[in-house]
Amino acid sequence: MGSSITTLGELKRALSTPASGLRRRTVKDEVRDNLITKLRAGDTLFPGIIGFEETVIPQLINAILSRHHFILLGLRGQAKSRIARGLMDLLDDTIPIVPGCEIHDDPLEPLCAGCRARIATEGDKLPIAWLPRDLRFVEKLATPDVTIADMVGDIDPIKAARAGLGLSDELTIHYGLLPRANRGIFAINELPDLAGKIQVGMFNILQEGDIQIKGYPVRLRLDVLMVFTANPEDYTARGKIITPLKDRIGSEIRTHYPLTREHAMAITEQEAWLDRHADGRELEIPAYVREIVEEIAFLARAERKIDKRSGVSQRMPITCLENATSNAERRALVADENPVVPRVTDIYAAIPSLTGKFELEYEGELRGADNVARDLIRAAVGAVFAERFDRVETRRVIEWFDMGGTLRIEDTSSAAQLLKQARCVQGLVELAEHLGLKTDAPPPVLASAVDFILEGLYAQKKITRNEERGYHAAEPQPRRTTRQTETSLDDGAPLPSTGKKKYYN
Ligand SMILES: [Zn+2]
């Protein structure tokens, strides 16, 4: 639009010609105008934000139309930062600035003394630079050690001495993040972690355009759209946010975790790194594996052993699916199988990607993070299995185990090894038909289905499994040791497993 304009004189002419399409306006007006254009055109607003279409996004639109500074209140992993970054799409492609100015001054109304001095000497010949929108978004994670100098700025006595200026002159200010966000969007994440003194400083800038730095009054009439994020409990806790600042935040918008498994799966599909072709292999993730991974997060959010206040991020299913896929890749590479098909067993192997994603309550601490994760996986498998095998007759398979049959399968067992054992169990492989599979499906696909069925029966306590991954009859049937395997692994030496897993039963 304006990149052909290179001087202040040309800029002034273009602004006085309506056909140029160039307008001077505040950031809030610019964002509002561009939002209106998108709404009129029926464009997708906030692309990539899934499941907020009817809840968060309408409130967001209202806040922008109202020209509000606003805060997103939500737990971790609810796309708050992503929404804030998405606001960038509502900025103009470029805006004219005084080149080299740290606070991106408007050439027609510069704030800083340096720019004003340049205009006084250069006049209409002053060169104009064009600032792209991605440089107009500043983001800061609030922590208690953030200072006024970081956020607003500091007086630089050396600079002042060199310039021969008084300390209160603006030329002596070393600008902090907020002035550097001038004419753009400034996002502060976890606002309640910001010291009260800094909150006061920010309020003064928003309200009056004045601030004191080291006792010197500084005028900074900044043009910024402020977006904050916070954990809802921290935000509403008394004394965490100074009242006048809270009063200046126009809208409080609550975010949430995906409301449906479909939304959750769509988010994970979008975010997880699954576009891999290990040594040219195809990746085929069964729907039930994707469903179980999401179900783990849904159950974790409702689990009383897990701290509700900090939440369970949507990053949990994302990293879990990535890690489970890697375990499947590892097996496929060693066994030279194609396609790579993750199994339920691979989800258990992905426990290291789960345990860091939740904070435990006291009861959870007693149980231990690994066991809590394992319990969640088992419950998730049980829930998804129940949906798929609700009215399916599995008695024949269970009877086989009741008769004393055992299977010994590891997460490293190849599809051939697994299926060879599974075929000894009358009716087991055939159950895969209820997952839409024919018994001549590719072995890795069929093996994953069989693994799901075994894990499902185990989750429903119809068969049992011990720490050596043997499946056998459920209690109260007499326990048999898995070492008395009816079928043994004879296809080469066993591969290294993901570690010693203590399975409860
Ligand atoms: Zn300037």
mmCIF file of all heavy atoms in Angstrom, residues 400-401 405-411 413 417-418 421-422 425 454 465-472 481-489 494 497:
data_model
loop_
_atom_site.group_PDB
_atom_site.id
_atom_site.type_symbol
_atom_site.label_atom_id
_atom_site.label_comp_id
_atom_site.label_asym_id
_atom_site.label_seq_id
_atom_site.Cartn_x
_atom_site.Cartn_y
_atom_site.Cartn_z
ATOM 1 N N TRP A 400 -10.709 -68.317 26.888
ATOM 2 C CA TRP A 400 -9.396 -68.891 26.555
ATOM 3 C C TRP A 400 -8.396 -68.594 27.677
ATOM 4 O O TRP A 400 -7.633 -69.441 28.105
ATOM 5 C CB TRP A 400 -8.910 -68.323 25.212
ATOM 6 C CG TRP A 400 -7.622 -68.932 24.737
ATOM 7 C CD1 TRP A 400 -7.482 -70.060 23.993
ATOM 8 C CD2 TRP A 400 -6.301 -68.450 24.985
ATOM 9 N NE1 TRP A 400 -6.158 -70.311 23.747
ATOM 10 C CE2 TRP A 400 -5.404 -69.347 24.347
ATOM 11 C CE3 TRP A 400 -5.766 -67.355 25.687
ATOM 12 C CZ2 TRP A 400 -4.016 -69.174 24.367
ATOM 13 C CZ3 TRP A 400 -4.387 -67.191 25.712
ATOM 14 C CH2 TRP A 400 -3.520 -68.101 25.063
ATOM 15 N N PHE A 401 -8.485 -67.352 28.164
ATOM 16 C CA PHE A 401 -7.586 -66.974 29.266
ATOM 17 C C PHE A 401 -8.019 -67.682 30.549
ATOM 18 O O PHE A 401 -7.184 -68.131 31.332
ATOM 19 C CB PHE A 401 -7.584 -65.454 29.467
ATOM 20 C CG PHE A 401 -6.835 -64.723 28.390
ATOM 21 C CD1 PHE A 401 -7.497 -64.128 27.331
ATOM 22 C CD2 PHE A 401 -5.454 -64.646 28.430
ATOM 23 C CE1 PHE A 401 -6.802 -63.474 26.336
ATOM 24 C CE2 PHE A 401 -4.741 -63.985 27.438
ATOM 25 C CZ PHE A 401 -5.427 -63.396 26.380
ATOM 26 N N GLY A 405 -4.883 -69.923 29.462
ATOM 27 C CA GLY A 405 -4.038 -69.403 28.398
ATOM 28 C C GLY A 405 -3.348 -68.107 28.795
ATOM 29 O O GLY A 405 -3.906 -67.308 29.550
ATOM 30 N N THR A 406 -2.144 -67.933 28.335
ATOM 31 C CA THR A 406 -1.443 -66.671 28.587
ATOM 32 C C THR A 406 -0.754 -66.203 27.301
ATOM 33 O O THR A 406 -0.373 -67.014 26.462
ATOM 34 C CB THR A 406 -0.353 -66.794 29.681
ATOM 35 O OG1 THR A 406 0.545 -67.815 29.284
ATOM 36 C CG2 THR A 406 -0.928 -67.114 31.030
ATOM 37 N N LEU A 407 -0.612 -64.914 27.206
ATOM 38 C CA LEU A 407 0.116 -64.313 26.092
ATOM 39 C C LEU A 407 1.195 -63.425 26.672
ATOM 40 O O LEU A 407 0.969 -62.749 27.664
ATOM 41 C CB LEU A 407 -0.806 -63.433 25.243
ATOM 42 C CG LEU A 407 -1.877 -64.099 24.383
ATOM 43 C CD1 LEU A 407 -2.640 -63.021 23.625
ATOM 44 C CD2 LEU A 407 -1.255 -65.077 23.405
ATOM 45 N N ARG A 408 2.337 -63.410 26.025
ATOM 46 C CA ARG A 408 3.389 -62.512 26.498
ATOM 47 C C ARG A 408 3.784 -61.610 25.343
ATOM 48 O O ARG A 408 4.363 -62.043 24.362
ATOM 49 C CB ARG A 408 4.572 -63.322 26.997
ATOM 50 C CG ARG A 408 5.629 -62.466 27.630
ATOM 51 C CD ARG A 408 6.559 -63.303 28.486
ATOM 52 N NE ARG A 408 7.532 -62.442 29.132
ATOM 53 C CZ ARG A 408 8.706 -62.168 28.590
ATOM 54 N NH1 ARG A 408 9.046 -62.674 27.435
ATOM 55 N NH2 ARG A 408 9.556 -61.372 29.238
ATOM 56 N N ILE A 409 3.400 -60.358 25.466
ATOM 57 C CA ILE A 409 3.632 -59.396 24.387
ATOM 58 C C ILE A 409 4.327 -58.177 24.976
ATOM 59 O O ILE A 409 3.967 -57.707 26.054
ATOM 60 C CB ILE A 409 2.291 -58.987 23.736
ATOM 61 C CG1 ILE A 409 1.641 -60.221 23.096
ATOM 62 C CG2 ILE A 409 2.506 -57.896 22.697
ATOM 63 C CD1 ILE A 409 0.195 -60.030 22.740
ATOM 64 N N GLU A 410 5.312 -57.663 24.269
ATOM 65 C CA GLU A 410 6.008 -56.464 24.727
ATOM 66 C C GLU A 410 5.772 -55.343 23.740
ATOM 67 O O GLU A 410 5.328 -55.581 22.618
ATOM 68 C CB GLU A 410 7.503 -56.742 24.845
ATOM 69 C CG GLU A 410 7.806 -57.764 25.922
ATOM 70 C CD GLU A 410 9.277 -58.114 25.973
ATOM 71 O OE1 GLU A 410 10.095 -57.178 25.905
ATOM 72 O OE2 GLU A 410 9.598 -59.304 26.049
ATOM 73 N N ASP A 411 6.126 -54.135 24.162
ATOM 74 C CA ASP A 411 5.918 -53.013 23.240
ATOM 75 C C ASP A 411 6.860 -53.103 22.044
ATOM 76 O O ASP A 411 6.672 -52.426 21.049
ATOM 77 C CB ASP A 411 6.048 -51.669 23.966
ATOM 78 C CG ASP A 411 7.446 -51.392 24.455
ATOM 79 O OD1 ASP A 411 8.185 -52.366 24.712
ATOM 80 O OD2 ASP A 411 7.814 -50.208 24.577
ATOM 81 N N SER A 413 7.442 -56.093 20.591
ATOM 82 C CA SER A 413 7.094 -57.270 19.782
ATOM 83 C C SER A 413 6.676 -56.824 18.385
ATOM 84 O O SER A 413 5.835 -55.936 18.236
ATOM 85 C CB SER A 413 5.919 -58.029 20.413
ATOM 86 O OG SER A 413 6.267 -58.484 21.705
ATOM 87 N N GLN A 417 5.261 -61.294 15.421
ATOM 88 C CA GLN A 417 5.333 -61.982 16.717
ATOM 89 C C GLN A 417 3.992 -61.885 17.443
ATOM 90 O O GLN A 417 3.483 -62.866 17.991
ATOM 91 C CB GLN A 417 6.421 -61.337 17.588
ATOM 92 C CG GLN A 417 7.829 -61.638 17.121
ATOM 93 C CD GLN A 417 8.861 -60.754 17.811
ATOM 94 O OE1 GLN A 417 8.545 -59.673 18.313
ATOM 95 N NE2 GLN A 417 10.110 -61.204 17.820
ATOM 96 N N LEU A 418 3.442 -60.688 17.441
ATOM 97 C CA LEU A 418 2.192 -60.466 18.161
ATOM 98 C C LEU A 418 1.061 -61.285 17.546
ATOM 99 O O LEU A 418 0.313 -61.967 18.250
ATOM 100 C CB LEU A 418 1.860 -58.968 18.138
ATOM 101 C CG LEU A 418 0.700 -58.501 19.022
ATOM 102 C CD1 LEU A 418 0.942 -57.083 19.505
ATOM 103 C CD2 LEU A 418 -0.637 -58.582 18.327
ATOM 104 N N GLN A 421 1.148 -65.097 18.147
ATOM 105 C CA GLN A 421 0.601 -65.480 19.452
ATOM 106 C C GLN A 421 -0.911 -65.321 19.482
ATOM 107 O O GLN A 421 -1.633 -66.178 19.988
ATOM 108 C CB GLN A 421 1.198 -64.592 20.535
ATOM 109 C CG GLN A 421 2.642 -64.865 20.820
ATOM 110 C CD GLN A 421 3.019 -64.209 22.149
ATOM 111 O OE1 GLN A 421 2.538 -64.610 23.203
ATOM 112 N NE2 GLN A 421 3.855 -63.203 22.077
ATOM 113 N N ALA A 422 -1.363 -64.196 18.928
ATOM 114 C CA ALA A 422 -2.793 -63.878 19.007
ATOM 115 C C ALA A 422 -3.632 -64.929 18.275
ATOM 116 O O ALA A 422 -4.759 -65.221 18.686
ATOM 117 C CB ALA A 422 -3.050 -62.489 18.427
ATOM 118 N N VAL A 425 -5.325 -67.714 20.076
ATOM 119 C CA VAL A 425 -6.518 -67.451 20.878
ATOM 120 C C VAL A 425 -7.710 -67.416 19.939
ATOM 121 O O VAL A 425 -7.816 -66.522 19.097
ATOM 122 C CB VAL A 425 -6.400 -66.105 21.628
ATOM 123 C CG1 VAL A 425 -7.559 -65.939 22.594
ATOM 124 C CG2 VAL A 425 -5.063 -66.007 22.333
ATOM 125 N N LEU A 454 -6.766 -56.492 23.564
ATOM 126 C CA LEU A 454 -6.200 -57.056 24.795
ATOM 127 C C LEU A 454 -6.157 -55.997 25.895
ATOM 128 O O LEU A 454 -6.541 -56.252 27.043
ATOM 129 C CB LEU A 454 -4.798 -57.608 24.528
ATOM 130 C CG LEU A 454 -4.722 -58.877 23.669
ATOM 131 C CD1 LEU A 454 -3.273 -59.165 23.275
ATOM 132 C CD2 LEU A 454 -5.312 -60.074 24.424
ATOM 133 N N ARG A 465 -3.002 -58.716 33.574
ATOM 134 C CA ARG A 465 -1.709 -58.574 32.933
ATOM 135 C C ARG A 465 -0.720 -58.263 34.035
ATOM 136 O O ARG A 465 -1.036 -57.477 34.932
ATOM 137 C CB ARG A 465 -1.792 -57.395 31.957
ATOM 138 C CG ARG A 465 -0.526 -57.125 31.229
ATOM 139 C CD ARG A 465 -0.662 -55.862 30.425
ATOM 140 N NE ARG A 465 -0.599 -54.692 31.310
ATOM 141 C CZ ARG A 465 -0.667 -53.441 30.876
ATOM 142 N NH1 ARG A 465 -0.848 -53.185 29.627
ATOM 143 N NH2 ARG A 465 -0.563 -52.441 31.724
ATOM 144 N N ASN A 466 0.422 -58.849 34.013
ATOM 145 C CA ASN A 466 1.371 -58.533 35.072
ATOM 146 C C ASN A 466 2.525 -57.722 34.525
ATOM 147 O O ASN A 466 2.545 -57.347 33.358
ATOM 148 C CB ASN A 466 1.833 -59.798 35.800
ATOM 149 C CG ASN A 466 2.866 -60.561 34.999
ATOM 150 O OD1 ASN A 466 3.201 -60.194 33.871
ATOM 151 N ND2 ASN A 466 3.361 -61.635 35.564
ATOM 152 N N GLU A 467 3.493 -57.449 35.385
ATOM 153 C CA GLU A 467 4.554 -56.515 34.989
ATOM 154 C C GLU A 467 5.401 -57.028 33.835
ATOM 155 O O GLU A 467 6.131 -56.291 33.231
ATOM 156 C CB GLU A 467 5.424 -56.129 36.193
ATOM 157 C CG GLU A 467 6.124 -57.271 36.872
ATOM 158 C CD GLU A 467 5.281 -57.852 37.998
ATOM 159 O OE1 GLU A 467 4.049 -57.670 37.994
ATOM 160 O OE2 GLU A 467 5.852 -58.479 38.880
ATOM 161 N N GLU A 468 5.282 -58.283 33.546
ATOM 162 C CA GLU A 468 6.043 -58.781 32.414
ATOM 163 C C GLU A 468 5.213 -58.810 31.141
ATOM 164 O O GLU A 468 5.569 -59.451 30.172
ATOM 165 C CB GLU A 468 6.612 -60.154 32.735
ATOM 166 C CG GLU A 468 7.515 -60.059 33.943
ATOM 167 C CD GLU A 468 8.445 -61.233 34.060
ATOM 168 O OE1 GLU A 468 7.951 -62.328 34.347
ATOM 169 O OE2 GLU A 468 9.642 -61.029 33.867
ATOM 170 N N ARG A 469 4.113 -58.078 31.195
ATOM 171 C CA ARG A 469 3.241 -57.925 30.043
ATOM 172 C C ARG A 469 2.642 -59.229 29.563
ATOM 173 O O ARG A 469 2.445 -59.444 28.389
ATOM 174 C CB ARG A 469 3.938 -57.229 28.880
ATOM 175 C CG ARG A 469 4.241 -55.778 29.178
ATOM 176 C CD ARG A 469 4.408 -54.983 27.922
ATOM 177 N NE ARG A 469 3.209 -54.944 27.119
ATOM 178 C CZ ARG A 469 2.134 -54.217 27.382
ATOM 179 N NH1 ARG A 469 2.097 -53.504 28.479
ATOM 180 N NH2 ARG A 469 1.110 -54.214 26.589
ATOM 181 N N GLY A 470 2.389 -60.100 30.494
ATOM 182 C CA GLY A 470 1.658 -61.299 30.107
ATOM 183 C C GLY A 470 0.187 -61.049 30.328
ATOM 184 O O GLY A 470 -0.209 -60.458 31.324
ATOM 185 N N TYR A 471 -0.635 -61.442 29.412
ATOM 186 C CA TYR A 471 -2.073 -61.349 29.596
ATOM 187 C C TYR A 471 -2.534 -62.707 30.067
ATOM 188 O O TYR A 471 -2.155 -63.732 29.504
ATOM 189 C CB TYR A 471 -2.783 -61.034 28.283
ATOM 190 C CG TYR A 471 -2.444 -59.682 27.733
ATOM 191 C CD1 TYR A 471 -1.420 -59.546 26.806
ATOM 192 C CD2 TYR A 471 -3.154 -58.560 28.135
ATOM 193 C CE1 TYR A 471 -1.110 -58.301 26.294
ATOM 194 C CE2 TYR A 471 -2.850 -57.316 27.610
ATOM 195 C CZ TYR A 471 -1.821 -57.191 26.688
ATOM 196 O OH TYR A 471 -1.525 -55.978 26.178
ATOM 197 N N HIS A 472 -3.345 -62.723 31.108
ATOM 198 C CA HIS A 472 -3.917 -63.997 31.537
ATOM 199 C C HIS A 472 -5.270 -63.748 32.167
ATOM 200 O O HIS A 472 -5.779 -62.627 32.111
ATOM 201 C CB HIS A 472 -2.957 -64.766 32.451
ATOM 202 C CG HIS A 472 -2.420 -63.970 33.587
ATOM 203 N ND1 HIS A 472 -2.938 -64.043 34.841
ATOM 204 C CD2 HIS A 472 -1.398 -63.070 33.637
ATOM 205 C CE1 HIS A 472 -2.242 -63.222 35.634
ATOM 206 N NE2 HIS A 472 -1.320 -62.627 34.931
ATOM 207 N N THR A 481 1.612 -68.026 36.406
ATOM 208 C CA THR A 481 2.770 -67.198 36.045
ATOM 209 C C THR A 481 2.929 -67.157 34.529
ATOM 210 O O THR A 481 2.677 -68.133 33.837
ATOM 211 C CB THR A 481 4.067 -67.693 36.732
ATOM 212 O OG1 THR A 481 5.155 -67.217 35.954
ATOM 213 C CG2 THR A 481 4.132 -69.208 36.785
ATOM 214 N N THR A 482 3.302 -66.019 34.062
ATOM 215 C CA THR A 482 3.407 -65.846 32.610
ATOM 216 C C THR A 482 4.596 -66.599 32.024
ATOM 217 O O THR A 482 4.712 -66.713 30.833
ATOM 218 C CB THR A 482 3.600 -64.371 32.249
ATOM 219 O OG1 THR A 482 4.670 -63.889 33.029
ATOM 220 C CG2 THR A 482 2.346 -63.585 32.474
ATOM 221 N N ARG A 483 5.473 -67.040 32.893
ATOM 222 C CA ARG A 483 6.636 -67.734 32.344
ATOM 223 C C ARG A 483 6.218 -69.065 31.714
ATOM 224 O O ARG A 483 6.902 -69.599 30.883
ATOM 225 C CB ARG A 483 7.682 -67.944 33.441
ATOM 226 C CG ARG A 483 8.314 -66.618 33.841
ATOM 227 C CD ARG A 483 9.717 -66.767 34.352
ATOM 228 N NE ARG A 483 10.303 -65.468 34.589
ATOM 229 C CZ ARG A 483 10.088 -64.734 35.685
ATOM 230 N NH1 ARG A 483 9.329 -65.210 36.659
ATOM 231 N NH2 ARG A 483 10.646 -63.560 35.814
ATOM 232 N N GLN A 484 5.013 -69.553 32.175
ATOM 233 C CA GLN A 484 4.524 -70.776 31.542
ATOM 234 C C GLN A 484 3.762 -70.411 30.268
ATOM 235 O O GLN A 484 2.586 -70.675 30.129
ATOM 236 C CB GLN A 484 3.549 -71.498 32.492
ATOM 237 C CG GLN A 484 4.136 -71.775 33.861
ATOM 238 C CD GLN A 484 3.061 -72.170 34.860
ATOM 239 O OE1 GLN A 484 1.900 -71.802 34.738
ATOM 240 N NE2 GLN A 484 3.453 -72.925 35.868
ATOM 241 N N THR A 485 4.422 -69.764 29.360
ATOM 242 C CA THR A 485 3.732 -69.319 28.157
ATOM 243 C C THR A 485 3.440 -70.508 27.259
ATOM 244 O O THR A 485 4.263 -71.375 27.053
ATOM 245 C CB THR A 485 4.578 -68.305 27.369
ATOM 246 O OG1 THR A 485 5.897 -68.823 27.280
ATOM 247 C CG2 THR A 485 4.591 -66.957 28.035
ATOM 248 N N GLU A 486 2.237 -70.498 26.741
ATOM 249 C CA GLU A 486 1.875 -71.561 25.823
ATOM 250 C C GLU A 486 2.507 -71.334 24.465
ATOM 251 O O GLU A 486 2.753 -72.244 23.706
ATOM 252 C CB GLU A 486 0.350 -71.634 25.687
ATOM 253 C CG GLU A 486 -0.288 -72.040 26.999
ATOM 254 C CD GLU A 486 -1.710 -72.520 26.811
ATOM 255 O OE1 GLU A 486 -2.281 -72.283 25.741
ATOM 256 O OE2 GLU A 486 -2.227 -73.127 27.751
ATOM 257 N N THR A 487 2.685 -70.073 24.165
ATOM 258 C CA THR A 487 3.377 -69.757 22.918
ATOM 259 C C THR A 487 4.614 -68.968 23.310
ATOM 260 O O THR A 487 4.565 -68.133 24.177
ATOM 261 C CB THR A 487 2.514 -68.874 22.014
ATOM 262 O OG1 THR A 487 1.970 -67.844 22.810
ATOM 263 C CG2 THR A 487 1.422 -69.656 21.343
ATOM 264 N N SER A 488 5.686 -69.280 22.716
ATOM 265 C CA SER A 488 6.904 -68.574 23.097
ATOM 266 C C SER A 488 7.385 -67.725 21.934
ATOM 267 O O SER A 488 6.990 -67.900 20.795
ATOM 268 C CB SER A 488 7.984 -69.573 23.484
ATOM 269 O OG SER A 488 8.268 -70.391 22.382
ATOM 270 N N LEU A 489 8.202 -66.787 22.262
ATOM 271 C CA LEU A 489 8.768 -65.923 21.232
ATOM 272 C C LEU A 489 9.935 -66.651 20.595
ATOM 273 O O LEU A 489 10.919 -66.935 21.242
ATOM 274 C CB LEU A 489 9.260 -64.617 21.843
ATOM 275 C CG LEU A 489 8.192 -63.719 22.450
ATOM 276 C CD1 LEU A 489 8.850 -62.511 23.064
ATOM 277 C CD2 LEU A 489 7.198 -63.315 21.398
ATOM 278 N N PRO A 494 14.415 -60.917 21.754
ATOM 279 C CA PRO A 494 13.554 -59.783 22.076
ATOM 280 C C PRO A 494 14.318 -58.458 21.985
ATOM 281 O O PRO A 494 15.515 -58.404 22.287
ATOM 282 C CB PRO A 494 13.079 -60.070 23.493
ATOM 283 C CG PRO A 494 13.881 -61.201 24.000
ATOM 284 C CD PRO A 494 14.594 -61.838 22.856
ATOM 285 N N SER A 497 13.251 -53.120 25.585
ATOM 286 C CA SER A 497 11.966 -52.506 25.890
ATOM 287 C C SER A 497 12.179 -51.080 26.388
ATOM 288 O O SER A 497 13.295 -50.650 26.607
ATOM 289 C CB SER A 497 11.269 -53.350 26.947
ATOM 290 O OG SER A 497 10.049 -52.759 27.287
#
